[in-house]
Amino acid sequence: MFNSDYRTLASYISTLAVILKTTNPKPWVNEFESIELSCMIESISTAQPRIEWKKIKMGEPSYVYFGKAISGDLEKRAKIREPASLVILNATRADSADYRCEVTAPNDQKSFDEILISLTVRVKPVVPRCSVPKSVPVGKPAELHCLEGEGYPKSQYQWFRNKEEIPENPKNSPKFINSTYTLSRELGTLKFSAVKKEDAGEYYCRAKNEAGSSECGPQMMEVYDINIAGIILGVVVVVTVLLCITVGIFCAYKRGYFTSQKQTGKNYKAPANGDGVDYVRTEDEV
């Protein structure tokens, strides 16, 4: 008897109260697709309740549905699906926010209720910027970089060599077991501590999140041996040339090729004339 009376009382109270519910409090949608923010009126007595939607971003609320009209950021991009759900027709990354459905029913004993819905708009990554060194000597370090800044949620990165995905741990793959590198999927970096000949190849990177993926074009990294003998020979040649130049300059000084004599009036000697007569300079010529 008591349980029956309690259910009757609860049912009576619910008919005098506006009660809202949603099928999904945390929906997500890919950018440029449509999404419905569900706001269902489970119980109400008022015939024409006031329905409002507010967008809350960075703690600041703004109306997107007020006075039976779409407004604000969603104007011409949204509609109300009866009785109170909000449908965004062309979601953009700027639509990621909290949305609050508010229903006011003056004729109900509990005349107000609200539901908070958190919307995430997922954005596909753009083509990442990739940096691959063109050539690296054997045994030297090398760094490859991959980055894009448009994807949401934040992109994770994959590196490929000759169309084979590079594992985070080189020991997990026979093709990369001899390589020594560290791979960061969060930062998009691939760092070799000491490259080997087998590390040469075409490298490209893929940026990926829940909305999709994009990748840069392949870039060739060559690995070459350092010619120690050639380097030593080059040094010997340079030293020999410098030594020869030094000896030549020293010999030239010894033979007086670099001595200079300042000509003055006292030691001036006029050039001989073709007539065989020597001329003496006068005081006026000095």
Side-chain angles (χ1 to χ4, degrees):
M1 180 69 178
F2 175 78
N3 290 337
S4 177
D5 292 342
Y6 177 79
R7 285 194 298 269
T8 301
L9 178 61
S11 176
Y12 174 75
I13 293 175
S14 67
T15 59
L16 299 178
V18 54
I19 300 174
L20 305 180
K21 71 174 184 178
T22 181
T23 58
N24 188 358
K26 294 183 178 181
W28 60 264
V29 63
N30 291 336
E31 192 174 29
F32 309 125
E33 295 181 357
S34 299
I35 182 68
E36 178 177 338
L37 307 186
S38 169
C39 181
M40 303 171 63
I41 301 176
E42 192 173 49
S43 171
I44 196 168
S45 297
T46 302
Q48 293 184 340
R50 187 174 75 243
I51 299 170
E52 297 174 352
W53 276 92
K54 294 176 183 176
K55 177 182 179 180
I56 305 169
K57 198 158 189 174
M58 306 294 292
E60 294 293 328
S62 60
Y63 281 104
V64 292
Y65 182 73
F66 178 78
K68 297 185 178 182
I70 301 293
S71 60
D73 295 343
L74 298 182
E75 188 174 4
K76 298 181 181 180
R77 291 195 300 116
K79 64 180 182 179
I80 291 295
R81 179 167 291 166
E82 296 294 341
S85 295
L86 178 68
V87 180
I88 301 175
L89 302 175
N90 185 21
T92 69
R93 65 193 68 189
D95 295 332
S96 290
D98 290 334
Y99 292 82
R100 189 165 64 215
C101 175
E102 301 177 356
V103 176
T104 303
N107 296 336
D108 287 64
Q109 185 172 352
K110 178 180 174 293
S111 60
F112 178 82
D113 199 11
E114 64 182 24
I115 284 182
L116 189 67
I117 298 173
S118 298
L119 173 63
T120 299
V121 179
R122 305 190 306 194
V123 182
K124 177 183 176 180
V126 297
V127 175
R129 301 184 300 276
C130 300
S131 174
V132 179
K134 292 183 178 180
S135 59
V136 184
V138 171
K140 296 296 182 179
E143 292 188 11
L144 287 71
H145 297 272
C146 180
L147 184 66
E148 74 85 33
E150 297 295 324
Y152 186 85
K154 190 176 179 181
S155 294
Q156 296 285 300
Y157 299 95
Q158 300 168 283
W159 274 101
F160 296 81
R161 186 186 74 195
N162 299 331
K163 299 182 180 180
E164 293 281 345
E165 183 178 357
I166 300 174
E168 284 192 85
N169 187 349
K171 306 304 179 186
N172 293 338
S173 171
K175 293 185 178 180
F176 299 92
I177 195 168
N178 293 323
S179 297
T180 55
Y181 63 79
T182 55
L183 174 63
S184 172
R185 297 198 183 279
E186 291 74 27
L187 301 177
T189 56
L190 176 61
K191 298 181 179 181
F192 292 91
S193 57
V195 297
K196 298 179 173 62
K197 292 289 289 185
E198 53 265 34
D199 293 326
E202 282 191 337
Y203 287 82
Y204 68 91
C205 169
R206 177 180 295 160
K208 184 178 181 181
N209 65 10
E210 292 90 339
S213 65
S214 294
E215 58 190 43
C216 61
Q219 301 179 44
M220 187 69 186
M221 185 178 80
E222 297 181 352
V223 179
Y224 61 91
D225 291 313
I226 300 177
N227 190 348
I228 302 298
I231 294 175
I232 294 174
L233 179 60
V235 172
V236 171
V237 170
V238 171
V239 171
T240 302
V241 171
L242 291 176
L243 182 60
C244 292
I245 293 173
T246 303
V247 172
I249 293 174
F250 177 76
C251 293
Y253 268 110
K254 291 289 288 183
R255 295 182 180 182
Y257 288 115
F258 292 98
T259 58
S260 61
Q261 187 176 28
K262 185 177 179 181
Q263 293 183 346
T264 64
K266 294 181 180 181
N267 58 20
Y268 175 78
K269 184 179 288 186
N273 290 299
D275 55 6
V277 179
D278 291 336
Y279 293 88
V280 178
R281 300 179 70 185
T282 66
E283 289 296 325
D284 294 335
E285 292 178 71
V286 176

